[in-house]
Amino acid sequence: MKAVNITWEAGEELHQGATDLSAWHGFKAYGNVGFLTQEDLSITDTMQQWFIDNEKRIYALVCDYVKQNYQELLEESEFLDVFDEDSETYPTRVGEVSEADMRAGDIFKLMQLSAFVLHHPDKNALGMIFECAWDEEHGFGIVIQGDKVISQGFEQVVYRSL
């Protein structure tokens, strides 16, 4: 991963970090990739280093998890109901998609990364927020701790899990 320059802004509940990243590995960004944390801003360098040291492992875990569970995620969303004889494609925040796109499960076409949620490095955990074609209202959130996905669901799951 290229060097990440994060500019942090303190917030009441969440501190926000802005970057110029427009992608992360195979995932395009929804805007620029952001970073969020509830931790003290004095440890942002430590959190960022933890992220850099673990990002390849995290990427592999996310890809494997979504590919293995994609069909279940799609079925739960009932997204396929939007396609009918009159509409072969459907506009989403991640672009026009067809029923064939959705059934193919190409996660790089169907998901765009919005933000990483960083935690204290001792927790060995990270949350990720995605815009996704199958649930534009709630997005998709995933929380990784160690070498496991410990929680997934709507975007809000990344704030509640740790």
Side-chain angles (χ1 to χ4, degrees), residues 20-33:
D20 63 353
L21 289 177
S22 60
W24 181 64
H25 292 277
F27 291 104
K28 293 178 185 169
Y30 187 73
N32 285 350
V33 176

Side-chain angles (χ1 to χ4, degrees), residues 18 20 35 44 49 53 106 108-109 117 152 155:
D20 63 353
F35 283 79
T44 57
Q49 188 59 53
D53 292 346
D106 180 358
F108 301 117
K109 182 173 184 172
V117 180
Q152 67 83 24
E155 172 184 326

Side-chain angles (χ1 to χ4, degrees), residues 6-88:
I6 304 173
T7 305
W8 289 95
E9 184 176 312
E12 288 184 30
E13 290 184 34
L14 281 173
H15 309 301
Q16 296 186 358
T19 70
D20 63 353
L21 289 177
S22 60
W24 181 64
H25 292 277
F27 291 104
K28 293 178 185 169
Y30 187 73
N32 285 350
V33 176
F35 283 79
L36 303 166
T37 190
Q38 291 179 322
E39 304 293 344
D40 189 299
L41 288 179
S42 67
I43 66 165
T44 57
D45 289 343
T46 306
M47 289 187 299
Q48 184 173 335
Q49 188 59 53
W50 178 90
F51 174 75
I52 290 167
D53 292 346
N54 290 278
E55 61 104 12
K56 287 182 182 173
R57 175 182 60 85
I58 292 164
Y59 176 74
L61 283 167
V62 171
C63 290
D64 289 347
Y65 183 84
V66 175
K67 286 177 183 176
Q68 289 174 8
N69 295 284
Y70 177 74
Q71 194 61 43
E72 182 181 327
L73 295 169
L74 184 60
E75 288 171 11
E76 287 175 7
S77 74
E78 299 178 1
F79 182 82
L80 292 175
D81 295 346
V82 303
F83 299 103
D84 57 34
E85 294 172 5
D86 298 331
S87 175
E88 292 184 16

Side-chain angles (χ1 to χ4, degrees), residues 109-124:
K109 182 173 184 172
L110 303 173
M111 298 172 67
Q112 292 180 351
L113 181 62
S114 294
F116 292 101
V117 180
L118 300 179
H119 298 282
H120 193 285
D122 291 345
K123 292 181 180 177
N124 195 26

